Amino acid sequence: MDSAKRTVLITAHTGREPAVESARLVIRRFLDEGFTVRVMEPEAEEIGALGVDVVPASQAAAEDAEMFLVLGGDGTLLRAAELARPARTPLLGINLGHVGFLAEAEMADLAEAVDHVVTSRYTVEERMTLELKVRANGELLASTWALNEASVEKRDRMLEVVAEIDGRPLSRWGCDGVICATPTGSTAYAFSAGGPVVWPEVEALLLVPNSAHALFARPLVISPRSNIAIEILPGTSGGVLWCDGRRRFDLPPGVRVEVRRSDLPVRLARLHDRDTTGAPFTDRLVAKFDLPVQGWRGRVRH
């Protein structure tokens, strides 16, 4: 392989024919522009593109790639993030899903998005991630991470938990669960549980009790330097830890889930003339949630 060549890794939601057809078109365009194109083994046969490098579906797939192009919804992008994050490869999402907050462009903008990559008209922003450790009696049971959220959830009966912030107890809740989220995840599960929408460039951690039986059970916005812990009380029902709805860990009674900001972010590509500052995120909210803005007259110009 010519080491001077620019390399892109492409993945698609192969359960959707429009994603597969679009992947083939994108591959042809990048090959015509002289790029090296990688496709992962589980998808290669279905995509059926000639001239690509077929690589194992491992973290090595994204190493040294300039871009990881993702054709699908947020679920497809979260799966791709597991491979891109260790390699620090930027992700560029093309939305084929419903809301698609993580995606940079819609399918109608696919040709334009590829043009931006080919001509290097893009920037890269870093999104905060969470680092999680699960302990029981001081013993480390699991270690993982999340881009959107980590949710401690009941398995059958209501959970009894105590929340801790920076080594001090905050409150005890009987609840369906507790969600720890990033600003990126504030429009996902945390939003459904009543949490606030936080602009992506704001550095903060979110703590959102889910259906808690308590007078004080409000969503909290916490310093990104803080350490959060959720303890499932001994003698109560155990639970489950879900990270981004993808990675699952059983939580026995008495277990402790520790959450902090990770040192390793996820990198997202942003196309020039698109959402690169806080203000256009307003437009994204309006578009994704179909918010009513009729009657807006704009700021008064002097």
Side-chain angles (χ1 to χ4, degrees):
M1 182 187 300
D2 183 355
S3 60
K5 276 190 173 184
R6 299 169 69 188
T7 300
V8 293
L9 172 63
I10 295 176
T11 188
H13 189 311
T14 53
R16 298 180 179 178
E17 186 58 31
V20 174
E21 289 295 331
S22 297
R24 292 169 183 158
L25 293 172
V26 169
I27 288 169
R28 284 198 291 270
R29 172 69 193 282
F30 277 121
L31 290 175
D32 289 344
E33 294 289 345
F35 281 68
T36 295
V37 179
R38 296 176 187 164
V39 174
M40 290 180 285
E41 286 175 350
E43 303 170 6
E45 183 175 354
E46 190 151 3
I47 292 175
L50 298 177
V52 301
D53 290 354
V54 178
V55 297
S58 67
Q59 293 180 0
E63 289 180 359
D64 302 320
E66 177 181 336
M67 187 73 66
F68 192 167
L69 191 70
V70 182
L71 299 159
D74 278 353
T76 309
L77 198 143
L78 288 169
R79 173 171 59 86
E82 295 176 356
L83 307 181
R85 179 173 174 259
R88 297 186 60 81
T89 301
L91 292 156
L92 176 60
I94 308 298
N95 183 41
L96 276 78
H98 299 291
V99 180
F101 260 99
L102 291 171
E104 173 64 1
E106 302 297 321
M107 185 55 69
D109 305 318
L110 179 59
E112 177 191 0
V114 174
D115 285 340
H116 276 72
V117 176
V118 169
T119 57
S120 299
R121 288 182 294 128
Y122 64 86
T123 55
V124 176
E125 67 179 35
E126 295 187 341
R127 292 292 184 92
M128 178 193 304
T129 62
L130 304 176
E131 175 186 304
L132 294 105
K133 295 186 183 300
V134 181
R135 302 183 192 272
N137 298 317
E139 178 186 356
L140 182 64
L141 302 182
S143 181
T144 186
W145 70 282
L147 170 59
N148 273 347
E149 77 281 310
S151 59
V152 176
E153 302 180 13
K154 68 177 184 180
R155 191 160 43 222
D156 41 40
R157 292 178 294 160
M158 181 185 297
L159 282 176
E160 289 286 343
V161 305
V162 173
E164 169 192 303
I165 309 293
D166 293 329
R168 301 301 302 160
L170 173 70
S171 187
R172 172 174 173 168
W173 297 307
C175 57
D176 286 351
V178 181
I179 302 165
C180 299
T182 65
T184 300
S186 71
T187 52
Y189 189 14
F191 175 81
S192 300
V197 173
V198 180
W199 261 236
E201 72 272 18
V202 175
E203 295 192 342
L205 302 174
L206 276 68
L207 180 65
V208 184
N210 192 358
S211 301
H213 292 246
L215 291 176
F216 182 85
R218 299 294 185 183
L220 301 176
V221 180
I222 302 168
S223 166
R225 295 176 294 279
S226 288
N227 294 305
I228 301 171
I230 307 297
E231 296 184 351
I232 299 180
L233 296 181
T236 64
S237 176
V240 178
L241 172 65
W242 281 99
C243 294
D244 292 336
R246 293 189 48 80
R247 295 172 293 282
R248 180 185 189 277
F249 302 87
D250 288 330
L251 301 175
V255 80
R256 174 183 173 92
V257 180
E258 299 172 347
V259 185
R260 62 178 293 273
R261 178 181 185 168
S262 172
D263 294 331
L264 186 60
V266 165
R267 308 181 78 215
L268 297 180
R270 292 302 185 211
L271 308 181
H272 287 183
D273 306 322
R274 289 180 177 269
D275 295 7
T276 55
T277 64
F281 182 70
T282 307
D283 297 336
R284 181 166 291 201
L285 282 177
V286 170
K288 298 298 184 180
F289 289 135
D290 194 22
L291 301 178
V293 293
Q294 296 84 356
W296 179 67
R297 299 176 61 188
R299 69 178 66 180
V300 177
R301 299 186 183 277
H302 298 285

